[in-house]
């Protein structure tokens, strides 16, 4: 056993020495590194393998001593500088991502684990040597930044920036247990600062430089101040940079270049070196720092740049329907921000809807929070106001206006013709209000409406669409959708103490399943995909209730209805 090695490392060292690897200075602190050559398909790959103290739970890491491969091939990335030992920070190495975390396997033998990972690595090298990767289809689909994630930078430019220019840089800070800092480059500073004011973030406004390299990805990629000076001069951008620098005090700036698939990519650079002492005064200008002989070989902090454009967020975290809705910029009114309306609003906000009108005259009670989207911190607040703040805290630029009056009020009705869909989830007032609204929709005075409700114990949930030009009995349609016999359903109603209102008992999980189907039906209406469907029913676990149901249905199914099915 070598000095300071664990039994796990000793076994793996023996395996690698048989493959002509030799121990070198550790590339990662507290690990053992070995270096060797791997020849495959006529190409030799200079390789470093770093062995952790115990395998598993940790796994060996494979590095390629070739900066030219970085980003040219998939699964080759720059390691975090803080992960590398002090002695290896000047070594240009790239980490090979062989297996994702969910693909790693467990074995009691550290040699078996190394053996299979080594085979995977050789296979990756073979694909690189044979040029089997199509960079247009694979490498840059979800690519964010080649720099390690040292600082969090958000890209909020609505168009495609060109050439060299100045943008507003908003630095947001939120103090909780830790101080969270976001740097946002934006062309809509008023919307970003409005978000900060509403959500209790501190902010600072500066100007930041954007430089467009107007070329393919630079090789080698810049990591030091000297590298960056060379790149700016090579692309004839240095003089433009110096002119723009006169108008900013920020040490954060941005670079844009073209990826292998032709798309523009953005990175941020933070000049974290000390200001350079001049003969007369200190200079904290970026160009002064970069030119300093003391800093030529120093690394600057790379910024992990992520777009917070709403369309981009919906594409990355959603599906095609979400992205399509986001681009259409639909507007939705929620009449009734209770346990159904609040959850539908939240689900829609995560599905591409960013413009809401919220209507509810009631305040949130303690008794509501067991099944409401909002919690204890909002008790006593008006539901519409509290839900507006809640939704607007999730996305910069999301708009949720509200009214605390009843929907019958003239000032509230005036808000509705401008929306694309009205969703009602009114509760105990529904029998009086919803038919009245439906009548206005049928007459063409209001846009299409989707009425949502749950039956007792959330045995089922329903959504009924009313469109302009319809002619039908609204109450009859609702009763046709309900599956519980009316006498039994009425017996389950609960009355509020001291008032005339009632509520229907149900649990959150079962209700949430139905509400998800309601939200999906609403999205389909907004996308124009449900022209022939007027209603939707979602059924839960009906086994206990079968004797109070007079039709043939199955548990945990969803059915969409047309007019004929509703006997309208």
């Amino acid at each position: 056993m070598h000095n300071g090695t664990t039994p796990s490392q000793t076994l793996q060292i023996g395996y690698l020495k048989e493959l002509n690897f030799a121990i070198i200075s550790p590339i990662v602190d507290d690990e053992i590194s070995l270096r060797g050559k791997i020849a495959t398909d006529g190409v030799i790959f200079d390789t470093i393998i770093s062995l952790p103290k115990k395998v598993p739970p940790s796994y060996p890491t494979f590095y390629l001593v070739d900066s030219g491969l970085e980003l040219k091939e998939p699964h080759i990335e720059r390691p975090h500088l803080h992960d590398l030992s002090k002695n290896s920070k000047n070594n240009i190495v790239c980490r090979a991502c062989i297996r994702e975390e969910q693909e790693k396997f467990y074995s009691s033998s550290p040699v078996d684990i190394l053996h299979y990972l080594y085979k995977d690595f050789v296979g990756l090298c073979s694909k690189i040597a044979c040029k089997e990767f199509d960079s247009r289809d694979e490498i840059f689909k979800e690519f964010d930044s080649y720099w390690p994630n040292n600082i969090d930078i958000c890209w909020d430019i609505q168009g495609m920036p060109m050439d060299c220019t100045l943008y507003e840089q908003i630095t947001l800070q939120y103090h909780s247990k830790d101080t969270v800092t976001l740097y946002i480059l934006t062309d809509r500073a008023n919307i970003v600062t409005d978000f900060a004011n509403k959500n209790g973030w501190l902010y600072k406004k500066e100007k930041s430089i954007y430089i467009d390299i107007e070329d393919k990805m630079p090789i080698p990629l810049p990591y030091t101040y000297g590298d960056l000076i060379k790149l700016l001069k090579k692309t004839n951008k240095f003089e433009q940079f110096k002119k723009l620098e006169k108008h900013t005090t920020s040490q954060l700036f941005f670079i844009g270049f073209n990826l292998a698939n032709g798309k523009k990519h953005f990175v941020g650079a933070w000049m974290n070196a000390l200001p350079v002492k001049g003969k007369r005064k200190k200079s904290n200008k970026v160009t002064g720092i970069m030119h300093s002989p003391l800093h030529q070989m120093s690394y600057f902090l790379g910024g992990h740049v992520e777009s917070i454009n709403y369309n981009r967020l919906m594409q990355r975290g959603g599906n095609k329907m979400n992205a399509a809705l986001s681009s259409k910029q639909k507007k939705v009114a929620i009449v009734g921000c209770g346990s159904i309306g609040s959850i539908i609003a939240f689900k829609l906000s995560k599905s591409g809807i960013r413009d809401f009108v919220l209507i509810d005259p009631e305040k949130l009670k303690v008794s509501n929070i067991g099944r409401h989207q909002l919690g204890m911190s909002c008790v006593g607040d008006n539901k519409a106001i509290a839900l507006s703040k809640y939704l607007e805290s999730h996305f910069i630029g999301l708009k949720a206006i509200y009214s605390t009056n009843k929907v019958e009020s003239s000032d509230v009705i005036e808000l509705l013709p401008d929306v694309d869909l009205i969703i009602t989830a009114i509760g105990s007032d529904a029998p009086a209000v919803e038919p009245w609204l439906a009548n206005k929709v049928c007459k063409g005075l209001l846009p299409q409406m989707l009425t949502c409700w749950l039956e007792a114990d959330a045995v089922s949930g329903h959504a009924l669409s009313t469109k302009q030009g319809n002619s039908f009995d609204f109450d009859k349609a609702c009763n046709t959708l309900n599956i519980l016999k009316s006498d039994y359903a009425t017996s389950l109603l609960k009355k509020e103490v001291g008032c005339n209102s009632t509520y229907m008992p149900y649990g959150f999980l079962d209700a949430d399943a139905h509400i998800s189907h309601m939200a999906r039906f609403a999205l389909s209406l907004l996308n124009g995909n449900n022209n022939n469907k007027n209603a939707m029913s979602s059924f839960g676990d009906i086994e206990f209730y079968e004797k109070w149901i007079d039709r043939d249905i199955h548990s945990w199914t969803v059915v969409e209805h047309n007019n004929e099915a509703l006997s309208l």
Side-chain angles (χ1 to χ4, degrees):
M1 187 181 295
H2 297 272
N3 291 334
T5 61
T6 64
S8 172
Q9 289 172 323
T10 299
L11 291 170
Q12 292 182 321
I13 289 169
Y15 176 88
L16 290 174
K17 282 190 172 181
E18 291 182 4
L19 297 171
N20 296 317
F21 277 73
I23 295 177
I24 60 172
S25 297
I27 195 168
V28 177
D29 290 331
D30 296 326
E31 295 191 3
I32 292 179
S33 300
L34 294 92
R35 187 169 182 173
K37 307 287 186 181
I38 293 178
T40 179
D41 299 287
V43 179
I44 297 175
F45 294 88
D46 192 358
T47 302
I48 296 175
I49 302 175
S50 188
L51 306 175
K53 287 185 175 182
K54 190 175 181 180
V55 177
S58 301
Y59 291 80
T61 307
F62 291 73
Y63 298 92
L64 288 164
V65 190
D66 184 352
S67 61
L69 289 173
E70 183 180 5
L71 300 189
K72 290 180 65 178
E73 305 293 349
H75 319 304
I76 308 297
E77 63 182 27
R78 185 77 168 182
H80 289 255
L81 291 178
H82 59 73
D83 289 340
L84 301 178
S85 64
K86 292 181 180 180
N87 296 329
S88 64
K89 288 190 184 298
N90 292 326
N91 292 331
I92 304 300
V93 295
C94 298
R95 181 173 56 201
C97 300
I98 302 171
R99 293 193 177 200
E100 296 182 8
E101 287 297 323
Q102 64 269 24
E103 294 176 336
K104 290 181 178 178
F105 58 91
Y106 177 82
S107 172
S108 59
S109 170
V111 173
D112 284 348
I113 291 176
L114 178 60
H115 170 72
Y116 286 112
L117 291 177
Y118 185 86
K119 284 179 61 179
D120 288 347
F121 178 73
V122 173
L124 175 64
C125 292
S126 177
K127 288 183 177 181
I128 293 172
C130 297
K131 303 185 184 303
E132 291 185 15
F133 291 114
D134 184 348
S135 61
R136 293 181 181 273
D137 290 333
E138 182 173 355
I139 178 171
F140 295 119
K141 279 184 178 178
E142 291 295 338
F143 180 68
D144 286 318
S145 179
Y146 73 84
W147 268 313
N149 187 12
N150 290 319
I151 51 179
D152 293 313
I153 303 174
C154 297
W155 183 264
D156 187 43
I157 307 299
Q158 302 307 297
M160 182 57 67
M162 298 299 292
D163 201 24
C164 306
T165 189
L166 288 172
Y167 282 108
E168 293 280 0
Q169 175 196 318
I170 311 294
T171 303
L172 297 180
Q173 278 198 334
Y174 180 76
H175 297 282
S176 54
K177 290 183 179 179
D178 298 311
T179 299
V180 178
T181 303
L182 293 177
Y183 301 93
I184 299 181
L185 195 72
T186 184
D187 55 3
R188 48 176 194 163
N190 59 323
I191 293 178
V192 177
T193 54
D194 183 56
F195 171 85
N197 287 326
K198 287 181 177 179
N199 293 283
W201 289 67
L202 302 176
Y203 68 87
K204 176 183 178 183
K205 294 175 67 173
E206 296 179 275
K207 295 286 186 180
S208 222
I209 301 174
Y210 170 72
I211 298 291
D212 197 324
I213 299 302
E214 298 176 2
D215 202 349
K216 292 183 179 180
M217 182 174 61
I219 300 294
L221 294 165
Y223 285 98
T224 66
Y225 298 104
D227 293 340
L228 203 49
I229 285 280
K230 291 176 184 177
L231 176 62
L232 293 175
K233 288 184 175 180
K234 179 182 176 181
T235 54
N236 298 316
K237 303 293 181 181
F238 188 70
E239 292 304 316
Q240 290 173 287
F241 189 96
K242 287 179 66 177
K243 289 179 181 178
L244 293 174
E245 191 181 33
K246 296 176 181 178
H247 305 286
T248 179
T249 58
S250 174
Q251 289 180 272
L252 176 66
F253 66 94
F254 296 79
I255 303 171
F257 55 81
N258 294 329
L259 298 174
N261 60 3
K263 292 184 178 179
K264 188 69 69 178
H265 176 61
F266 309 102
V267 292
W270 181 271
M271 298 292 105
N272 61 322
L274 294 172
V276 180
K277 292 183 178 180
K279 291 183 179 180
R280 294 183 179 179
K281 61 180 181 178
K282 291 184 178 180
S283 170
N284 65 351
K285 294 296 185 184
V286 173
T287 49
I289 294 173
M290 289 193 295
H291 265 126
S292 167
L294 296 174
H295 300 143
Q296 285 288 295
M297 296 304 294
S298 298
Y299 287 98
F300 50 80
L301 286 178
H304 182 82
V305 181
E306 292 189 288
S307 172
I308 55 172
N309 178 276
Y310 203 83
N311 292 342
R312 161 65 173 160
L313 293 176
M314 289 302 103
Q315 290 170 357
R316 184 178 177 91
N319 53 26
K320 291 181 180 179
M321 180 172 66
N322 295 2
L325 278 170
S326 176
S327 63
K328 291 178 181 179
Q329 300 185 18
K330 297 290 187 178
K331 186 175 183 179
V332 175
I334 306 289
V335 181
C337 300
S339 54
I340 298 177
S342 65
I343 298 174
I344 289 180
F346 178 69
K347 290 180 185 293
L348 295 184
S349 75
K350 294 289 189 179
S351 304
I353 306 302
R354 48 180 157 165
D355 199 351
F356 291 89
V357 177
L358 307 175
I359 301 165
D360 200 309
E362 296 182 354
K363 294 182 178 181
L364 188 72
K365 301 177 182 179
V366 173
S367 57
N368 298 144
I369 64 175
R371 57 189 195 181
H372 202 280
Q373 185 67 39
L374 303 175
M376 196 72 185
S377 62
C378 297
V379 168
D381 295 338
N382 173 267
K383 292 178 181 178
I385 295 175
L387 184 60
S388 171
K389 293 178 180 179
Y390 179 79
L391 295 178
E392 289 184 345
S393 71
H394 283 77
F395 295 103
I396 292 177
L398 186 146
K399 183 180 178 183
I401 65 171
Y402 57 83
S403 174
T404 60
N405 293 328
K406 289 188 175 184
V407 69
E408 305 96 307
S409 304
S410 59
D411 61 325
V412 178
I413 285 292
E414 291 175 357
L415 299 173
L416 299 182
D418 188 39
V419 306
D420 296 287
L421 177 65
I422 301 169
I423 297 176
T424 64
I426 299 177
S428 59
D429 291 338
V433 176
E434 288 174 338
W436 177 75
L437 286 172
N439 184 51
K440 288 185 173 292
V441 174
C442 292
K443 291 180 178 180
L445 301 176
L446 294 176
Q448 66 178 329
M449 182 176 86
L450 187 67
T451 302
C452 301
W453 74 96
L454 294 167
E455 294 193 61
D457 295 344
V459 66
S460 65
H462 308 284
L464 174 64
S465 170
T466 305
K467 300 176 183 177
Q468 292 183 348
N470 281 169
S471 178
F472 67 95
D473 187 325
F474 182 85
D475 289 332
K476 180 182 177 182
C478 293
N479 291 330
T480 302
L481 289 172
N482 287 332
I483 63 172
L484 291 176
K485 292 180 180 179
S486 59
D487 291 345
Y488 178 70
T490 302
S491 72
L492 296 176
L493 279 174
K494 304 292 185 182
K495 292 184 178 292
E496 294 278 10
V497 176
C499 66
N500 294 320
S501 65
T502 59
Y503 68 94
M504 192 67 75
Y506 53 81
F508 177 81
L509 285 180
D510 289 342
D512 188 63
H514 299 312
I515 295 171
S516 291
H517 294 306
M518 296 173 188
R520 184 174 292 277
F521 193 75
L523 294 173
S524 296
L525 289 175
L526 289 164
N527 253 336
N529 298 335
N530 270 11
N531 292 327
N532 298 321
K533 301 297 182 181
N534 277 50
M536 180 280 307
S537 293
S538 171
F539 305 121
D541 187 356
I542 65 170
E543 182 177 357
F544 174 77
Y545 303 92
E546 286 179 343
K547 60 183 177 182
W548 293 291
I549 298 173
D550 56 5
R551 67 189 76 174
D552 184 22
I553 56 177
H554 301 282
S555 294
W556 305 116
T557 56
V558 178
V559 177
E560 294 185 351
H561 313 276
N562 53 28
N563 279 347
E564 183 178 353
L566 292 172
S567 302
L568 301 178

